[in-house]
Amino acid sequence: MTIKKGIAVLFALPALALSMGAARAADDYPGKPITVIIGFAPGGPTDAIGRVLFKKVSQELKTPIIIENKAGAGGNIGTQELMRAKPDGYTLMYGTSSVTTAPPLFDRDDLDPRKAFATASCSVAVPLILLTPGKMNIADAQAFYTAVKAQPGKYFMGSSGNGSIDHLVGMDIAHRLGLQFQHVPYKGNGPALTDLVAGNTGFMYSGSFNSALPFIQNGQVKALAVTSGKRSEALPQVPTLGESVQGLQGFDAGTWQILAAPNGTPAPILKKLDTALQAALKDPEVMKSLRFQGAEPMDKDPAQCRAYVASEYERWSSTIKRLGLKGN
């Protein structure tokens, strides 16, 4: 063996050892309970979907999964907690689209999802529903936006909070259509929906299907459109904004959810997590429950998932800057 070849072998050995170590870690994984951080309070849409989904993921991995709610700062608290965890696959985060909106809102470049953590898997997407009080005599979304534009400042939009995805989508649409209204932020979707039902606000974009559906069914609120690119299976009779509103053709926005791990988590462990989560999404009982909440599988492999998260971060960073919005 030449000296040059000997040096090459010496440099290759550590990399080979690391690769073999990662493979052994994946073979043994998981060997103990896994903690999944959710950056929102119990009972909200992300929490509700996560608990259904990870019950099945736990069965797929044959190990207990413990949900820990770490609410605050639009989900940033959960991301910070994840970044402090060991990259061994035993502390994960079930994140939502807030991983792409909260960092620019709060000027937290360190939480940029393209570099703050490893994206293990894409799970589901949930559109928002444009809702108005049932007693409001409005035929469709186009007529509603025409009415809002004709009377600047008259209408009140409720949201689940400043910087929430429903607030951002509402402001983005307003910018596109030239609408002016008054924003009323609430501490969550529930209080916002309650005031809408009572007629105290004029509209909202709700991402909580299981909360809104009973009121839609009994006529207390009216679903005018969904914000996704295609109709929701939970509300097939409700058109998309792209179908029904001039100026919003092709519009597609809403919330979505991913499984994330600390940077440095071995690739074989990330693959095992993605396989388990995708298997859970193919379970008929799981999907029956998730579709009641408006959730649909994202159908993205890990590479597509990472690219999607990056593109959404760029989209919402640009939108937030354009609208001059700040978190508080």
Side-chain angles (χ1 to χ4, degrees):
M1 181 184 296
T2 65
I3 292 176
K4 188 178 290 187
K5 286 183 179 178
I7 291 172
V9 169
L10 286 174
F11 277 110
L13 285 174
L16 180 61
L18 284 173
S19 176
M20 291 175 65
R24 282 196 297 270
D27 288 341
D28 297 336
Y29 178 84
K32 61 182 181 179
I34 296 168
T35 296
V36 174
I37 299 164
I38 292 180
F40 299 92
T46 305
D47 182 75
I49 289 172
R51 288 180 186 274
V52 170
L53 185 57
F54 284 100
K55 182 178 179 181
K56 185 62 179 177
V57 172
S58 174
Q59 294 171 6
E60 291 290 329
L61 293 174
K62 298 180 174 58
T63 198
I65 292 180
I66 302 158
I67 302 292
E68 281 192 2
N69 297 88
K70 301 281 185 178
N76 280 348
I77 299 298
T79 302
Q80 290 172 225
E81 191 79 10
L82 179 75
M83 291 169 69
R84 289 191 287 265
K86 289 176 62 177
D88 57 6
Y90 290 102
T91 301
L92 308 171
M93 180 180 74
Y94 194 55
T96 185
S97 48
S98 66
V99 300
T100 63
T101 58
L105 275 168
F106 290 91
D107 291 322
R108 294 293 303 270
D109 289 341
D110 58 317
L111 303 182
D112 179 339
R114 297 171 299 182
K115 58 187 179 182
F117 52 76
T119 301
S121 188
C122 275
S123 62
V124 295
V126 182
L128 308 180
I129 320 166
L130 172 58
L131 300 173
T132 58
K135 61 186 178 183
M136 188 183 289
N137 188 25
I138 294 288
D140 52 37
Q142 181 68 63
F144 174 70
Y145 289 137
T146 299
V148 174
K149 191 168 186 177
Q151 301 176 81
K154 174 187 174 182
Y155 288 83
F156 289 78
M157 180 187 82
S159 82
S160 56
N162 280 317
S164 60
I165 189 67
D166 46 314
H167 174 216
L168 295 178
V169 168
M171 298 306 293
D172 185 27
I173 290 170
H175 179 78
R176 291 168 185 249
L177 299 182
L179 310 177
Q180 294 181 38
F181 48 77
Q182 300 186 59
H183 173 224
V184 185
Y186 291 83
K187 291 185 177 180
N189 180 88
L193 184 58
T194 298
D195 257 13
L196 182 78
V197 171
N200 296 327
T201 55
F203 68 108
M204 71 178 290
Y205 297 88
S206 176
S208 182
F209 274 64
N210 56 342
S211 297
L213 281 172
F215 295 111
I216 294 170
Q217 290 162 352
N218 68 20
Q220 287 181 277
V221 299
K222 187 170 184 177
L224 297 182
V226 292
T227 62
S228 48
K230 63 178 183 179
R231 294 194 182 198
S232 168
E233 290 196 23
L235 289 169
Q237 75 283 9
V238 176
T240 68
L241 287 174
E243 285 180 78
S244 52
V245 179
Q246 294 178 7
L248 293 180
Q249 289 84 358
F251 188 82
D252 188 0
T255 187
W256 39 263
Q257 297 169 0
I258 60 169
L259 181 62
N263 280 329
T265 302
I269 288 179
L270 296 178
K271 183 177 180 181
K272 187 171 280 191
L273 289 167
D274 178 57
T275 299
L277 189 144
Q278 298 307 322
L281 289 173
K282 290 179 172 63
D283 182 84
E285 288 304 310
V286 169
M287 282 316 305
K288 181 179 178 181
S289 178
L290 295 189
R291 284 199 170 104
F292 177 70
Q293 299 179 64
E296 293 291 337
M298 294 176 73
D299 293 326
K300 297 182 185 299
D301 65 32
Q304 292 170 329
C305 183
R306 288 189 292 272
Y308 179 75
V309 172
S311 69
E312 283 287 281
Y313 178 72
E314 290 156 9
R315 169 191 182 177
W316 288 113
S317 293
S318 174
T319 299
I320 287 163
K321 183 177 181 180
R322 184 179 75 246
L323 298 176
L325 299 175
K326 293 288 182 183
N328 56 26

